[in-house]
């Protein structure tokens, strides 16, 4: 942020009185502009024993597979946002279940939250942000082409819980280790370099913590 959205004056970074973090502060109108993590909402849609994945038609991670998910909008609940994203990206009809995974991603100032979501039918109609949507058996999941670490971790938890016949709420923190940039002569074009940087971030990710809430839940769990 360079300019104050309230008065248009250039902002400065300083620690306001009574605070302990750098904030964007306006020296003209004295407004303090707080920047907080954003919530990404998604689902784990399932039909029979298959899991729905979407192949991304946008960057980052164009062409990679993901669970349907996106940023929460104003004036909607977390569940409403997850259901909306599922319709927009896959055209799938679901019965929204309980929250299944919550993953903090401090590196990009985000929290990712996925809900259980048994489908009401196998019909799919992917939107413009998806190249395609497809139902996968466990053996056919394209693990090497999963877009984000939060998605692959959520899928692994889901498959583990499904095998034991009970679903629990899982939480974790995904941290990314910064890697040294490639030499200038090793870079080809902007698009390739951007994809390589994202891939490096994914490869350098590690899960710091994992906890499972007590009290397992049987079945996939629909809305009550």
């Amino acid at each position: 942020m360079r300019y104050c959205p309230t008065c248009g004056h250039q902002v400065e970074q300083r620690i306001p009185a009574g605070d302990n973090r750098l904030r964007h502060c306006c020296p003209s109108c004295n407004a303090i502009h707080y920047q907080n993590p954003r919530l990404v909402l998604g689902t784990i849609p399932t039909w029979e024993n298959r899991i729905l994945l979407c192949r991304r038609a946008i960057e980052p991670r164009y062409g990679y597979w993901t669970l349907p998910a996106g940023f929460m909008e104003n004036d909607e609940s977390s569940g409403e946002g997850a259901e909306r994203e599922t319709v927009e990206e896959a055209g799938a009809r679901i019965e929204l279940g309980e929250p299944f995974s919550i993953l903090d991603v401090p590196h990009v100032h985000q929290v990712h939250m996925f809900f259980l979501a048994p489908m009401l039918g196998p019909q799919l109609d992917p939107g413009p942000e998806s190249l395609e949507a497809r139902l996968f058996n466990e053996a056919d999941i394209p693990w090497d082409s999963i877009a984000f670490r939060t998605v692959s971790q959520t899928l692994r938890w889901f498959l583990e819980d499904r095998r034991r016949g009970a679903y629990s709420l899982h939480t974790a923190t995904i941290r990314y280790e910064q890697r040294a940039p490639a030499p200038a002569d090793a870079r080809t074009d902007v698009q390739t370099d951007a994809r390589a940087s994202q891939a490096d971030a994914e490869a350098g990710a590690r899960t710091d913590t994992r906890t499972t809430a007590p009290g397992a839940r049987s079945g996939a769990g629909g809305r009550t």
Side-chain angles (χ1 to χ4, degrees):
M1 179 184 294
R2 295 184 60 188
Y3 300 98
C4 175
T6 303
C7 72
H9 195 279
Q10 189 167 356
V11 299
E12 60 186 24
Q13 279 199 316
R14 57 182 172 82
I15 300 176
D19 205 337
N20 58 7
R21 292 177 181 268
L22 283 172
R23 308 289 185 187
H24 289 98
C25 302
C26 179
S28 177
C29 69
N30 297 317
I32 302 173
H33 301 288
Y34 297 91
Q35 294 180 308
N36 303 107
R38 295 180 293 175
L39 191 59
V40 173
L41 304 168
T43 62
I44 313 163
T46 54
W47 175 251
E48 297 176 341
N49 287 323
R50 293 177 292 170
I51 300 173
L52 171 63
L53 297 177
C54 300
R55 195 156 71 93
R56 292 174 61 83
I58 57 175
E59 295 289 359
R61 308 296 270 170
Y62 178 96
Y64 283 74
W65 293 92
T66 184
L67 292 166
F71 290 108
M72 185 178 186
E73 299 283 3
N74 291 333
D75 301 317
E76 67 182 5
S77 69
S78 56
E80 290 168 345
E83 192 165 5
R84 173 185 53 77
E85 288 289 343
T86 305
V87 173
E88 291 178 358
E89 296 189 1
R93 296 181 302 115
I94 61 169
E95 180 182 4
L96 189 70
E98 298 182 32
F100 178 76
S101 66
I102 302 173
L103 302 105
D104 298 322
V105 195
H107 177 72
V108 290
H109 316 129
Q110 295 175 8
V111 178
H112 294 196
M113 182 177 185
F114 293 91
F115 289 78
L116 297 171
M119 295 171 59
L120 301 176
Q123 297 80 16
L124 302 173
D125 183 20
E129 293 187 358
S130 299
L131 295 172
E132 60 178 309
R134 191 189 306 175
L135 289 162
F136 287 89
N137 291 311
E138 179 177 351
D140 299 324
I141 293 174
W143 292 106
D144 291 339
S145 299
I146 297 297
F148 305 110
R149 179 67 178 270
T150 53
V151 172
S152 60
Q153 182 63 73
T154 293
L155 287 171
R156 288 188 173 92
W157 281 334
F158 177 81
L159 294 170
E160 290 170 4
D161 281 9
R162 188 169 71 176
R163 281 191 287 270
R164 69 186 179 90
Y167 296 88
S168 298
L169 176 63
H170 300 267
T171 65
T173 299
I174 305 293
R175 298 193 182 274
Y176 294 84
E177 298 175 350
Q178 295 289 345
R179 296 192 173 188
D185 58 1
R187 300 184 176 187
T188 53
D189 56 63
V190 173
Q191 183 177 17
T192 300
D193 191 44
R195 292 188 186 183
S197 297
Q198 182 66 35
D200 282 348
E202 288 298 315
R206 71 177 192 273
T207 305
D208 271 2
T209 62
R210 170 190 168 181
T211 62
T212 304
R217 301 167 298 193
S218 61
R223 184 190 283 114
T224 56

